[in-house]
Amino acid sequence: MDLQIRIDPLTGPEVAALLREHLDEMQRISPPESVHALDLAKLRQADITFWSAWSDGGLVGCAALRELDGWHGEVKSMRTTAAHRGRGVGAALMRRIFEQAEQRGYRRLSLETGSQPEFAPARALYRRFGFAPCGPFGGYAEDPCSTFMTRTLAGAHNRDER
């Protein structure tokens, strides 16, 4: 699959529809207090970089990276369209996030995902990329519907050297 990943301005209808699908599914699976997915307006915040993934002219996935502080980033809004799951889209997006995190000099990446069975494929992807369970971070609270994961980044450098 020929995949193009680009920073997205969050203005296209395809991205809006995919994010709406993502939020709808999160709200269907999790109780309201356990839904931590961001809507379009929150993804436009200055501390977030959002990427969309395209193949053959169609949107196939998205992901975002939020800066928690100068050394720590959070993976957000990982989503692959149903037709493209299991075809490497999520892994390609994760590699892009790692590239950006390392360019920024982050020492750690963390994420929150669901603990329910529907999130098992996401948790498996994150484990393949070296994420391990951790406690809540960045303002999250302990939640039985959340799995918190983190990993250190190899080659992290001092931000002042960038």
Side-chain angles (χ1 to χ4, degrees), residues 7-12 15-16 19 40 42-45 48 50:
I7 291 178
D8 195 290
L10 294 158
T11 56
V15 170
L19 290 170
L40 209 51
K42 290 180 181 162
L43 285 167
R44 289 185 176 127
Q45 300 295 319
I48 296 177
F50 183 89

Side-chain angles (χ1 to χ4, degrees), residues 22-23 25-38 76 112-116 119 140-148:
H22 181 60
L23 279 170
E25 185 174 21
M26 298 306 103
Q27 292 167 348
R28 180 181 56 77
I29 296 169
S30 301
E33 66 276 6
S34 298
V35 175
H36 302 290
L38 301 177
K76 295 294 293 180
E112 180 277 338
T113 190
S115 60
Q116 300 91 326
F119 295 97
Y140 288 103
E142 200 63 53
D143 181 340
C145 293
S146 288
T147 298
F148 301 101

Side-chain angles (χ1 to χ4, degrees), residues 76-99:
K76 295 294 293 180
S77 300
M78 286 285 296
R79 181 76 176 186
T80 301
T81 61
H84 291 86
R85 291 189 184 133
R87 299 172 81 190
V89 175
L93 285 162
M94 187 60 72
R95 285 190 293 275
R96 181 61 52 95
I97 287 171
F98 273 80
E99 289 170 7

